[in-house]
């Protein structure tokens, strides 16, 4: 006869998903235990791990589960709007993280459009202005990109020491500057051009060339190199 444990807190502490993750690391948890941490609570007659197991079984595996829309998730017994949104957010984080790893290893940068292909989808709906430095190796591949500054509309503040520290720490052969205009207007300001020229001069001195500055606005972008603005 199966013993039904209605609450995870009735399990030995080492078998509770959250505590197990903290003590042993996420790699030691099953798919159901990882989902259970997101769901947090079970339903009458089933603890959260059992609900998570049922959810995975319904969609055959974790991969198929991760592709379900929120409407499908919230119709599962025990999952409402909040839990469905949590699951959807977690799966999207995983997808973006995996995509970023693939870009680092596979994406060779041959033109500004290569950068736009990667970053327009990530930045087109941003309401804050974000400034990134993209580190390029000697094979023209992205090895790292890092957020340097976040500001309100057209107000991010960027310092050369922050940009070139990232470049040096990652042994960059060159760097690309990148930021978004939340207004959707890609036209560079005088300040955008001034900062680009300043950083380009510093890059020459440090032997870490600034090879472009790309501005994203909505679904569009411009390259200051292509526009011959520095």
């Amino acid at each position: 006869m199966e013993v039904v444990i209605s609450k995870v807190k009735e399990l030995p502490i080492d078998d509770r998903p959250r505590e197990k993750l903290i003590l042993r690391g996420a790699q030691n948890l099953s798919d159901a235990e990882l989902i259970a941490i997101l769901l947090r609570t079970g339903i009458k007659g089933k603890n959260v791990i059992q609900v998570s197991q049922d959810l995975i079984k319904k969609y055959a595996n974790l991969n198929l589960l991760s592709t379900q829309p929120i409407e499908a998730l919230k119709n599962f017994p025990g999952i409402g709007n909040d839990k469905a949104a949590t699951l959807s957010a977690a799966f999207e984080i995983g997808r973006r993280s995996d995509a970023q790893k693939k870009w680092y290893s596979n994406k060779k940068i041959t033109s500004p459009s290569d950068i736009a292909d990667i970053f327009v989808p990530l930045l087109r709906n941003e309401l804050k202005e974000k400034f990134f430095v993209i580190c390029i190796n000697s094979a023209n591949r992205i090895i790292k990109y890092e957020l340097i500054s976040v500001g309100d509309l057209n107000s991010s503040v960027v310092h050369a020491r922050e940009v070139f520290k990232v470049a040096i720490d990652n042994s960059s052969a060159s760097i690309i500057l990148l930021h978004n205009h939340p207004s959707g207007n890609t036209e560079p300001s005088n300040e955008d051009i001034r900062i680009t020229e300043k950083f380009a001069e510093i890059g020459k001195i440090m032997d870490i060339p600034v090879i472009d500055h790309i501005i994203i606005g909505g679904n569009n972008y411009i390259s200051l190199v292509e526009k011959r603005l520095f």
Side-chain angles (χ1 to χ4, degrees):
M1 180 178 176
E2 183 182 0
V3 177
V4 176
I5 298 174
S6 60
K7 296 180 180 178
V8 166
K9 69 180 181 180
E10 295 175 14
L11 293 168
I13 192 165
D14 288 352
D15 291 334
R16 301 174 195 172
R18 188 174 287 103
E19 286 77 5
K20 187 175 177 181
L21 183 147
I22 293 168
L23 292 171
R24 301 193 219 164
Q27 69 276 8
N28 289 299
L29 273 66
S30 67
D31 291 349
E33 288 172 324
L34 291 170
I35 296 295
I37 291 174
L38 298 173
L39 296 184
R40 301 185 65 178
T41 57
I43 59 177
K44 186 175 181 180
K46 290 187 177 182
N47 66 40
V48 67
I49 298 176
Q50 292 164 329
V51 172
S52 300
Q53 288 169 337
D54 290 347
L55 184 60
I56 293 171
K57 285 178 184 175
K58 175 177 173 60
Y59 294 107
N61 56 51
L62 193 59
N63 184 52
L64 290 177
L65 171 60
S66 70
T67 62
Q68 300 306 308
I70 286 182
E71 287 299 317
L73 294 173
K74 75 179 186 181
N75 287 330
F76 189 85
I79 297 179
N81 285 327
D82 290 348
K83 291 181 180 180
T86 299
L87 286 170
S88 182
F91 291 137
E92 182 60 22
I93 288 170
R95 275 191 288 271
R96 293 186 187 187
S97 176
D98 185 56
Q100 288 172 10
K101 290 175 185 175
K102 290 178 181 177
W103 297 336
Y104 291 165
S105 61
N106 296 327
K107 190 72 172 178
K108 187 170 184 177
I109 304 304
T110 60
S111 69
S113 64
D114 292 330
I115 296 295
D117 287 345
I118 294 170
F119 288 96
V120 165
L122 296 178
L123 294 174
R124 61 187 165 204
N125 296 318
E126 278 290 343
L127 300 179
K128 296 276 190 179
E129 182 174 286
K130 295 186 174 182
F131 196 104
F132 296 82
V133 57
I134 303 171
C135 300
I136 308 294
N137 65 14
S138 57
N140 287 332
R141 297 184 188 278
I142 296 176
I143 50 175
K144 173 83 172 182
Y145 72 84
E146 189 159 319
L147 178 63
I148 299 296
S149 176
V150 179
D152 291 324
L153 188 65
N154 299 326
S155 65
S156 63
V157 178
V158 186
H159 300 288
R161 63 179 176 273
E162 298 167 329
V163 169
F164 286 97
K165 182 181 186 305
V166 174
I168 292 167
D169 287 348
N170 291 280
S171 302
S172 306
S174 60
I175 60 173
I176 295 172
L177 308 175
L178 170 83
H179 80 282
N180 65 306
H181 283 175
S183 65
N185 177 16
T186 56
E187 193 65 26
S189 66
N190 290 334
E191 181 67 7
D192 292 333
I193 296 170
R194 187 191 69 80
I195 284 177
T196 307
E197 292 173 341
K198 175 184 174 182
F199 287 1
E201 287 300 316
I202 295 171
K204 288 178 183 177
I205 295 169
M206 300 188 69
D207 198 26
I208 306 175
V210 176
I211 59 176
D212 205 345
H213 184 170
I214 293 172
I215 300 172
I216 291 170
N219 288 313
N220 301 311
Y221 76 94
I222 69 154
S223 155
L224 269 66
V225 165
E226 289 184 338
K227 290 284 186 179
R228 298 184 179 179
L229 294 174
F230 88 98

